[in-house]
């Protein structure tokens, strides 16, 4: 079965950088895109960035500049580099991938999330 496993979260100080990773496994089906979302307590889950297998990245309007999404060599791993972390970046970060045989039959899969806490 499809598994998305995130890693790289933790407790960091404001101004530091962090790189999150998410690896997809358990399927040979095509990955149509991968992305990162985040959710802080009391708030809805919000998109951070997505990327296609061709490397076309899209970022949430409010989050441009400090976030960089990229793919691994095999294009089944997605990374999120976060620079100049702020306390308001504190959230659980989730990986999502659209996987399937065709674009019409592809469905979204979520990882379990990785916690990022920014605090002095």
């Amino acid at each position: 079965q499809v598994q998305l496993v995130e890693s790289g979260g933790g407790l960091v100080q404001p101004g530091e950088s962090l790189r999150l990773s998410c690896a997809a496994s358990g399927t040979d089906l095509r990955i149509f895109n991968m992305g990162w979302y985040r959710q802080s307590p009391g708030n809805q889950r919000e998109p951070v960035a997505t990327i296609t297998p061709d490397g076309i990245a899209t970022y949430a309007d409010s989050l441009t500049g400090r976030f960089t999404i990229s793919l691994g060599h095999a294009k089944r791993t997605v990374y999120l580099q976060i620079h100049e972390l702020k306390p308001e970046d504190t959230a659980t970060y989730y990986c999502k991938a659209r996987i399937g045989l065709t674009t019409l039959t592809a469905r979204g899969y979520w990882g379990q999330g990785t916690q990022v806490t920014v605090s002095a």
Side-chain angles (χ1 to χ4, degrees):
Q1 74 221 39
V2 176
Q3 280 193 315
L4 297 176
V5 180
E6 301 106 329
S7 61
L11 174 62
V12 296
Q13 295 191 345
E16 292 185 339
S17 297
L18 203 62
R19 189 176 83 154
L20 307 180
S21 302
C22 171
S25 64
T27 180
D28 291 329
L29 296 178
R30 183 176 174 184
I31 297 178
F32 289 93
N33 68 28
M34 301 186 79
W36 289 95
Y37 296 71
R38 69 183 187 180
Q39 186 171 20
S40 55
N43 294 311
Q44 291 187 335
R45 192 171 298 186
E46 63 175 353
V48 175
T50 60
I51 189 167
T52 68
D54 295 332
I56 299 173
T58 304
Y59 298 91
D61 288 342
S62 61
L63 300 177
T64 55
R66 296 189 298 113
F67 295 77
T68 304
I69 190 170
S70 61
L71 289 172
H73 179 70
K75 299 184 179 180
R76 302 189 84 79
T77 300
V78 62
Y79 303 100
L80 184 69
Q81 181 79 44
I82 313 172
H83 298 285
E84 299 176 20
L85 279 153
K86 304 176 181 181
E88 51 263 42
D89 293 322
T90 295
T92 301
Y93 285 73
Y94 295 92
C95 172
K96 182 180 180 181
R98 286 194 68 245
I99 301 173
L101 194 59
T102 69
T103 55
L104 291 178
T105 59
R107 55 157 289 190
Y109 293 86
W110 291 93
Q112 81 287 350
T114 185
Q115 178 67 36
V116 173
T117 302
V118 185
S119 175

